[in-house]
Amino acid sequence: MEKQKLGFWQIWNMSFGFLGIQFGFALQGGFMSRIFQTLGAEKDAIPLLWIAAPLTGLVVQPIIGYLSDRTWSARWGRRKPYFLIGAILSSLALFLVPHSPVLWIAAGFLWILDASINVSMEPFRALVADKLPDSQRSYGFVIQTLIIGIGTWVASNLPWMVSKLGVSDAAPSGVVPMSVKVAFAIGAVVFLISILYTIFTTSEYPPEDMEEFKREKAKKNQFISDIINNIGNMPSTMKKLGVIQFFSWFAFFTMWSMANPALTEHVFNTPAPVEANYNMEIAEDLLAFNTTNEAFQKSSNLVGSYMGTYGLSSMAFALILVLYTSRKRINRKIVHMCSLIIGGVGFLLMYFIPSPEYLTLCFILIGFAWGSILSMPYAMLSSAVDPKRMGVFMGIFNMFIVIPQIIAAIGGINIISNLLGEGAINAMIIAGISLIIAGLCNFLITEKSAISYQTIEE
C-alpha cells in the first residue's frame, strides 16, 4: 500500500501527544533527583534510585511494540489504545509523585511513572513509520523533536514559573515544596490533554493484508520466541546504531540523575543540607537548616530552568531541520556525529564556568545533541527494518537506550566519576566524554539508505 504524503499540520497533529510525554519525562528528569534529595537521599545513592526508569523501559517497550503490531480496531486503530492507557496512568503518577512521604514511595512512583510513559511513547515512534512514506521519515521524526523541545523547555521551567507566581519553595524537612507539587499537577493535565488531541485528530492505516494479520494474531505463545528471533535477526544498521545509542544515553541518564546535585553544589554553592548535621530541637540549628534548604530548593528551581534550555535549543535545531528536510536531503550520519560532539563539549564546560549564567551556553550545546538523538537514529533505523515489524523493532531498539542507563544506575556513574574525585560535578565530565565517544561512533554507519534519503521530493 502506497502511503500518502502528509502536510505539516497532519504530522504535527499525529505527533502532538509527544508534548505531554515530554512534560512527563522533563519533570521526571529535571526534578526526581531533587525530590529524592529532599526526602533524604545521599548523592551517591541517587543513580541507583533511578534504576526503575530504565528497567521498566527494558521490559515494557518491546512488549508494547509487539502487542501494538498485533492490534487493530476499526474505531481506535493500532497504536492509539496504548497512547490512551499510558496517558491515564502517567497523569495519575505525575500527580502523586511529589506527594511521596518517604524515599521508597518516591522510588516506587518513579517506577510506575516511567512504565506508564513508556506505554505511550513506544507506539508514537512506530506511528511515524506507520503513517509516513520513506521520503518523509526524517521530516516526521524532526517534527516530533520540535514538539519534544517545546515540552522540555516549558516543563523544566514549571517549578520556577510557579514559584514566581508566589507559590512557596519553603517546606519542612522531608517535605517536597508546594511549587514542585503544583508543577507536577500541571504536567499531569497537559499529558492527558495532548494525548487525547492526537487520538481525536489522527487516523491510522489498517493492516495491508487483513487476512494475514488475523492469522498472525491468532497464533499463540509466540511472544518470547518472536522477540528472541527478532533480536537475533536485527539489521546490521540497528546494531551499529546501538553502539551510538549506548554512549549517548549513558550521558543523558547521567545528566538527569546527577545534574541537580552536581550543579547546586559546584555552580550555585548551595548543596542539599544533611539533616543529621543539625540538631532540629535547637532553634538556631532549625533556622539554619530551613535557610539552607530553601536556598537549595531555589537553586534547584534554577537548575531545572537552565536544563530547560536544552529543550529550547533542541526545538530550534529541529525547526532548522524541518525547514531544510522539507525540501532537501540531509546526511543523517554527519548531522548526528557533529551534534553529539557539540553536546559533549557542553557537558565539559560545566566544570569550568565562572558563574551560573554560563549554564545557558552549556545547555544550548547539549540541546543540539538531544535534538539529534530524538530524530536521527530513528530516521536511520526506520529505513532499515521491515515495516510489518516496526513496532517490535522500535521496542527492541529501546534496549540500546535502557541497558546503558541500567549500567550507569547500578554503579557505572559512581565508579567512573570517582576516578576523577569526589565532587558530583565529575559526573558531568563523564557525560561529556561519553557523548563525544558516541559522536565518533557514527563512523560505523556505512549503509547509504540509512545515511541519507530524499525526504520529500527530488
Side-chain angles (χ1 to χ4, degrees):
M1 177 176 59
E2 185 175 351
K3 298 175 183 176
Q4 178 185 357
K5 290 183 178 180
L6 302 183
F8 173 83
W9 288 112
Q10 290 172 299
I11 300 175
W12 175 273
N13 289 344
M14 63 185 268
S15 301
F16 189 76
F18 247 113
L19 179 72
I21 291 173
Q22 198 54 36
F23 259 69
F25 271 129
L27 288 169
Q28 172 184 299
F31 303 103
M32 277 308 303
S33 291
R34 171 186 182 174
I35 291 172
F36 289 151
Q37 286 185 282
T38 299
L39 296 174
E42 297 182 2
K43 62 185 180 183
D44 287 343
I46 289 174
L48 188 59
L49 290 169
W50 272 82
I51 197 169
L55 278 177
T56 52
L58 181 64
V59 175
V60 170
Q61 287 219 16
I63 294 174
I64 296 301
Y66 179 85
L67 293 176
S68 67
D69 279 346
R70 297 163 66 86
T71 297
W72 175 251
S73 163
R75 180 177 182 182
W76 295 105
R78 171 175 289 178
R79 316 294 180 182
K80 292 192 291 185
Y82 300 93
F83 301 166
L84 182 59
I85 294 169
I88 293 171
L89 295 175
S90 298
S91 297
L92 290 172
L94 276 170
F95 181 81
L96 294 172
V97 163
H99 294 273
S100 303
V102 292
L103 190 58
W104 69 267
I105 291 180
F109 275 136
L110 173 59
W111 197 297
I112 297 169
L113 174 60
D114 202 81
S116 304
I117 294 175
N118 274 290
V119 170
S120 286
M121 185 181 71
E122 193 284 332
F124 261 101
R125 296 294 189 194
L127 182 66
V128 170
D130 289 345
K131 290 279 291 181
L132 299 179
D134 284 349
S135 60
Q136 285 191 304
R137 295 276 174 79
S138 293
Y139 188 47
F141 284 116
V142 165
I143 290 177
Q144 268 194 2
T145 302
L146 177 63
I147 293 172
I148 289 170
I150 296 170
T152 300
W153 181 73
V154 176
S156 297
N157 279 283
L158 273 179
W160 175 81
M161 293 176 182
V162 170
S163 177
K164 288 296 182 182
L165 292 174
V167 181
S168 177
D169 288 314
S173 174
V175 177
V176 176
M178 183 56 66
S179 58
V180 177
K181 293 176 180 177
V182 172
F184 272 67
I186 293 171
V189 173
V190 172
F191 197 119
L192 186 59
I193 290 175
S194 63
I195 294 287
L196 289 174
Y197 179 85
T198 287
I199 288 174
F200 290 118
T201 59
T202 302
S203 61
E204 295 188 69
Y205 289 120
E208 291 187 30
D209 187 334
M210 186 61 73
E211 292 302 317
E212 181 185 354
F213 173 80
K214 290 178 179 178
R215 286 194 299 270
E216 287 294 319
K217 185 177 179 181
K219 294 179 181 179
K220 304 294 183 181
N221 301 320
Q222 291 194 14
F223 170 70
I224 295 177
S225 61
D226 281 359
I227 293 291
I228 293 173
N229 182 60
N230 285 321
I231 291 174
N233 293 290
M234 69 176 68
S236 61
T237 298
M238 187 171 173
K239 297 175 184 177
K240 295 172 184 177
L241 286 168
V243 178
I244 300 168
Q245 293 286 82
F246 181 93
F247 290 103
S248 300
W249 287 89
F250 188 98
F252 273 88
F253 181 85
T254 301
M255 180 189 77
W256 293 324
S257 60
M258 293 301 295
N260 198 71
L263 299 179
T264 53
E265 176 186 295
H266 182 78
V267 178
F268 288 91
N269 296 312
T270 56
V274 179
E275 186 175 343
N277 295 335
Y278 299 82
N279 186 338
M280 306 299 278
E281 296 181 357
I282 299 176
E284 290 182 356
D285 272 20
L286 179 60
L287 177 61
F289 175 88
N290 289 337
T291 301
T292 304
N293 184 51
E294 186 170 0
F296 164 73
Q297 298 293 348
K298 288 187 177 297
S299 295
S300 296
N301 281 350
L302 291 173
V303 169
S305 182
Y306 280 119
M307 283 182 70
T309 306
Y310 86 86
L312 198 62
S313 174
S314 69
M315 182 178 67
F317 175 78
L319 183 59
I320 293 170
L321 285 182
V322 165
L323 295 174
Y324 190 85
T325 58
S326 66
R327 297 186 178 278
K328 298 180 181 294
R329 72 174 66 228
I330 58 172
N331 188 310
R332 298 162 175 164
K333 171 181 173 178
I334 297 300
V335 168
H336 199 41
M337 178 188 301
C338 295
S339 300
L340 294 178
I341 292 173
I342 289 170
V345 172
F347 278 118
L348 296 177
L349 287 175
M350 291 179 179
Y351 185 85
F352 301 100
I353 57 175
S355 63
E357 291 77 15
Y358 288 89
L359 285 173
T360 299
L361 172 62
C362 296
F363 282 112
I364 286 174
L365 299 180
I366 292 168
F368 285 103
W370 183 237
S372 189
I373 286 171
L374 294 175
S375 54
M376 292 301 105
Y378 296 98
M380 288 189 269
L381 176 66
S382 65
S383 298
V385 303
D386 181 357
K388 294 179 182 178
R389 296 184 289 169
M390 190 65 67
V392 70
F393 270 123
M394 287 290 182
I396 292 171
F397 192 55
N398 190 60
M399 292 192 310
F400 298 120
I401 295 174
V402 299
I403 289 174
Q405 295 182 61
I406 292 171
I407 292 173
I410 63 176
I413 295 174
N414 290 338
I415 292 171
I416 299 174
S417 63
N418 285 341
L419 295 176
L420 302 179
E422 295 183 359
I425 192 62
N426 292 322
M428 299 300 99
I429 300 294
I430 298 303
I433 294 171
S434 183
L435 210 50
I436 290 171
I437 293 173
L440 296 175
C441 285
N442 277 271
F443 282 115
L444 296 171
I445 306 297
T446 56
E447 294 79 2
K448 291 183 179 179
S449 62
I451 291 172
S452 181
Y453 195 100
Q454 179 64 34
T455 55
I456 292 209
E457 58 187 17
E458 294 289 346

